[in-house]
Amino acid sequence: MALHKFASFSSLHYSAFTTTHYHRVFSINCCTTSSTSSSSSSSSPSSSSPFTEKHSIERFQRDQWLYTNTATNNKPIVSSNLGSIREDDIALQLPELKKLLQVLREKRESEGKCSSEGKCVLGNVFLVGTGPGDPELLTLKAVRVIKGADLLLYDRLVSNDVLDLVAPHARLLYVGKTAGYHSRTQEEIHELLLSFAEAGATVVRLKGGDPLVFGRGGEEMDFLQQQGIQVKVIPGITAASGIAAELGIPLTHRGIANSVRFLTGHSRKGGTDPLFVAENAADPDSTLVVYMGLSTLPSLAQKLMCHGLSPETPAAAIERGTTPQQRTVSITISSFSRSQYIKLIN
């Protein structure tokens, strides 16, 4: 196998680094990713996002059932105050959410699934991983559950192509998060899942990648199980696996990388330093994959070199991996200084 294949890959708003004797660092980002390898880059034919961006017209068209009694006309709410936008949006959605709850309860009552006291047989919640973006990477079980849902709560990194699989009768509710703006807090998402499950609905929580890999699926599962709600997890292809396969880069390889490590590149409060970089993360016999590390990548690369990783280590950054908009940058880890990196990806 050609040595350059061990160099780089990244995916949708994730950052991934791989460390091996040849290509050791991958950066995966949903919107932009960075990698080190052979000083090359490739651009996608289109720069439009394959995902649901905040306040996009597509999102309001998809969720238009929530705004039937408002004057939004399926257009995004525009304001410089993100906190105000969030609060106004939730207020607009509340009447239709309450109405849907009532409709679902009445449906269960007509099916004899509710007691005279109004308590319905509890519904199920499915945590479904949708992979890195390509709908053909979904599992058969994921497709079946998506098509049979009453309500689907979806994240920003669930691709538009995946959302096209939702049945016409189902309702979609966007609960995506971006840096500096959360359409719903995690606690609000918990309560939504619980409320509709208590009404007997089949609720699907759609997440990019795998629900239990940097997806907060464990938190949602714990909360619902404590409330007596049955939760089923349907795994998805995590970005590291999907993008590595797309680019032909093995995460482990005999004689080169005998282990692989997934690391979050998230920073504290939106800063430029990653939360934590252990000294052994620079292990030359391991592949290091960094998720969500776009803003912290220069600092992360520097820390890895300080811990002993060679500056000539090949690395790769991939944006929107496995989608038609995929972009790849392949350089060495020492080139991930802020000025060089930004010049490469723009």
Side-chain angles (χ1 to χ4, degrees):
M1 178 178 292
L3 294 185
H4 72 271
K5 286 192 176 182
F6 292 94
S8 69
F9 82 86
S10 82
S11 107
L12 318 165
H13 283 106
Y14 292 106
S15 287
F17 278 96
T18 67
T19 60
T20 70
H21 288 307
Y22 300 106
H23 291 82
R24 301 176 180 176
V25 181
F26 293 105
S27 174
I28 303 178
N29 256 275
C30 298
C31 287
T32 306
T33 56
S34 67
S35 69
T36 64
S37 119
S38 54
S39 300
S40 65
S41 67
S42 60
S43 297
S44 64
S46 171
S47 61
S48 62
S49 175
F51 302 102
T52 304
E53 301 303 334
K54 63 182 180 181
H55 316 317
S56 67
I57 292 177
E58 291 78 10
R59 174 214 156 176
F60 281 86
Q61 290 174 336
R62 185 177 293 127
D63 298 356
Q64 61 183 325
W65 68 277
L66 288 163
Y67 305 99
T68 55
N69 294 320
T70 71
T72 60
N73 295 321
N74 299 330
K75 294 180 180 179
I77 302 170
V78 179
S79 172
S80 59
N81 187 329
L82 292 180
S84 175
I85 290 177
R86 197 188 84 87
E87 293 173 4
D88 291 346
D89 199 28
I90 291 176
L92 289 172
Q93 294 175 2
L94 191 57
E96 291 302 319
L97 285 171
K98 289 181 177 179
K99 187 184 297 184
L100 179 60
L101 272 174
Q102 184 59 34
V103 168
L104 290 169
R105 287 195 184 98
E106 291 173 354
K107 179 182 177 182
R108 297 301 181 269
E109 289 173 357
S110 67
E111 296 171 343
K113 295 182 179 180
C114 295
S115 67
S116 57
E117 290 80 20
K119 290 187 176 181
C120 298
V121 176
L122 296 177
N124 292 324
V125 173
F126 295 87
L127 305 183
V128 179
T130 63
D134 184 350
E136 293 186 347
L137 295 178
L138 286 169
T139 64
L140 293 174
K141 181 178 284 189
V143 173
R144 176 174 59 80
V145 169
I146 288 171
K147 290 183 175 180
D150 294 312
L151 176 69
L152 301 97
L153 279 66
Y154 65 102
D155 284 343
R156 187 174 67 86
L157 298 183
V158 178
S159 72
N160 295 319
D161 288 338
V162 170
L163 292 172
D164 287 341
L165 299 173
V166 174
H169 73 272
R171 299 301 192 188
L172 282 158
L173 175 60
Y174 177 73
V175 293
K177 301 173 183 175
T178 58
Y181 179 79
H182 292 182
S183 64
R184 299 277 179 166
T185 66
Q186 192 60 43
E187 292 71 25
E188 288 168 342
I189 293 172
H190 290 172
E191 292 299 329
L192 283 166
L193 293 170
L194 176 61
S195 296
F196 282 93
E198 287 181 334
T202 298
V203 186
V204 170
R205 178 75 172 94
L206 290 178
K207 295 175 173 288
D210 184 273
L212 303 183
V213 179
F214 300 124
R216 304 190 77 164
E219 297 174 36
E220 294 169 2
M221 183 166 53
D222 286 347
F223 171 81
L224 291 167
Q225 288 177 340
Q226 290 175 14
Q227 310 302 318
I229 304 298
Q230 184 176 9
V231 181
K232 299 179 181 179
V233 180
I234 300 177
I237 294 178
T238 190
S241 297
I243 293 165
E246 179 76 13
L247 298 181
I249 301 173
L251 294 177
T252 61
H253 191 84
R254 186 169 60 174
I256 296 176
N258 55 26
S259 64
V260 60
R261 170 178 291 188
F262 294 171
L263 179 70
T264 175
H266 263 324
S267 62
R268 288 185 178 87
K269 298 180 180 179
T272 58
D273 287 328
L275 287 174
F276 178 71
V277 180
E279 183 174 353
N280 58 6
D283 179 6
D285 296 319
S286 295
T287 295
L288 179 60
V289 180
V290 182
Y291 286 69
M292 302 165 288
L294 176 60
S295 63
T296 63
L297 184 55
S299 175
L300 179 59
Q302 186 63 44
K303 289 185 178 183
L304 288 172
M305 288 188 288
C306 288
H307 287 317
L309 195 61
S310 170
E312 298 306 310
T313 299
I318 299 90
E319 172 186 33
R320 299 169 178 170
T322 79
T323 74
Q325 293 83 6
Q326 176 176 304
R327 291 197 303 163
T328 304
V329 174
S330 300
I331 50 179
T332 61
I333 192 173
S334 62
S335 298
F336 277 125
S337 69
R338 182 168 298 278
S339 60
Q340 290 172 307
Y341 177 57
I342 292 176
K343 183 178 179 180
L344 280 168
I345 66 174
N346 288 334

